[in-house]
Amino acid sequence: MRSHKERIRYSRQIMLPQMGEAAQEKLTAARVMVVGMGGLGCPAALYLAAAGIGELHLVDGDEVELSNLQRQVLYKTNHLHKPKVQVAAQQLQAANPGIRIHTHMAMADEGWLLERLAGFDLVLDCTDNMSIRHAINRTCRARGVPVIMASVQGFSGQLVSFDFRRAGSPCYACVFPEAEREPAGNCQTSGVIGPALGVVGSVQALEAIKLLVGLPLGSLDTLQVFEAERLEWRSLGLGKQRCAECGKESAASSPDLRRHGTTAG
């Protein structure tokens, strides 16, 4: 650790037997990109900043709107019409001045991501756009960068992670083929309950911390489905189905997996 203050700040996670100072040093050295600073990105980024992730890159092209305030907990009424990444960076820096935060006011398409992903340890997909989700999937796979993907619609959420550092890893398109997907709703068209985003976004940050320090992930190659109405989590293994881009002929997703291929933030 670099200072006595840092030891105090992170003491409660350092004392955990699964963590320790070596794990904290890994977090301090980590570079993480959070794509989408909405209802998922806000809690995920806040917990990552608090945990001491050394360098956070926040990506979003939107400004704060009044309808965001029901669920996007980093923003307040006085932030209306300001860029989300700018406000989020200020809030996160105030929470932890010891980390580095970079802002990108952009909608992350495939070309943008390919130019910038080199050197990152992890990407969090917190978007509400299926096209961007598949672009993140393709570019992370191409660059060998792990990705943790989450979404919530209504009272239902999902979480899945892929470690593209491993040979033979499946990807998001293995479960939800891009060419076959049906148009998905989002929070603007279908609605979403705010605390469900908080739960799933927090779990996304938890899985991120575990991946960065080398702990096993419950969401690795496994779709974790959260039903907020029943307070129920279910795990759906991805099996051996692979898309053509992962080197095998794509198999049809099960009806249960397709039903949860939704996005919202």
Side-chain angles (χ1 to χ4, degrees), residues 62 65 67-68 71 128 185-192 264-265:
D62 285 340
E65 299 179 2
S67 62
N68 300 151
R71 64 198 179 279
D128 63 356
N186 58 32
C187 57
Q188 294 181 1
T189 60
S190 304
V192 65

Side-chain angles (χ1 to χ4, degrees), residues 158-182:
Q158 66 179 31
L159 177 79
V160 65
S161 62
F162 303 103
D163 189 349
F164 294 125
R165 299 170 299 183
R166 302 179 306 147
S169 171
C171 76
Y172 190 76
C174 295
V175 190
F176 304 109
E178 189 168 6
E180 300 177 17
R181 72 180 189 273
E182 298 178 1

Side-chain angles (χ1 to χ4, degrees), residues 185-249:
N186 58 32
C187 57
Q188 294 181 1
T189 60
S190 304
V192 65
I193 193 72
L197 288 155
V199 170
V200 176
S202 298
V203 175
Q204 195 174 13
L206 175 62
E207 292 289 88
I209 292 168
K210 288 159 60 180
L211 183 144
L212 292 169
V213 304
L215 293 174
L217 274 65
S219 63
L220 183 63
D221 303 340
T222 301
L223 190 69
Q224 297 286 350
V225 179
F226 176 58
E227 299 292 354
E229 284 188 280
R230 299 191 296 273
L231 285 181
E232 175 183 279
W233 283 93
R234 292 185 294 124
S235 298
L236 303 172
L238 304 190
K240 297 181 179 180
Q241 58 193 11
R242 295 291 186 271
C243 68
E245 294 184 10
C246 284
K248 295 183 180 180
E249 184 177 357

Side-chain angles (χ1 to χ4, degrees), residues 57 79 111 257:
H57 287 248
H79 297 143
L257 289 177

Side-chain angles (χ1 to χ4, degrees), residues 89-213:
Q90 292 170 348
Q91 300 285 77
L92 298 175
Q93 202 75 75
N96 190 349
I99 64 172
R100 301 177 301 280
I101 301 176
H102 300 268
T103 61
H104 307 272
M105 191 175 179
M107 294 300 182
D109 60 23
E110 192 161 354
W112 189 95
L113 288 163
L114 282 171
E115 290 180 1
R116 292 166 175 82
L117 271 185
F120 279 91
D121 299 292
L122 176 64
V123 172
L124 268 62
D125 171 21
C126 302
T127 65
D128 63 356
N129 183 297
M130 190 64 90
S131 295
I132 295 177
R133 183 178 300 275
H134 277 284
I136 292 169
N137 177 68
R138 289 192 300 270
T139 53
C140 284
R141 182 179 57 210
R143 291 288 188 254
V145 178
V147 60
I148 301 175
M149 315 182 92
S151 63
V152 178
Q153 182 174 321
F155 281 79
S156 298
Q158 66 179 31
L159 177 79
V160 65
S161 62
F162 303 103
D163 189 349
F164 294 125
R165 299 170 299 183
R166 302 179 306 147
S169 171
C171 76
Y172 190 76
C174 295
V175 190
F176 304 109
E178 189 168 6
E180 300 177 17
R181 72 180 189 273
E182 298 178 1
N186 58 32
C187 57
Q188 294 181 1
T189 60
S190 304
V192 65
I193 193 72
L197 288 155
V199 170
V200 176
S202 298
V203 175
Q204 195 174 13
L206 175 62
E207 292 289 88
I209 292 168
K210 288 159 60 180
L211 183 144
L212 292 169
V213 304

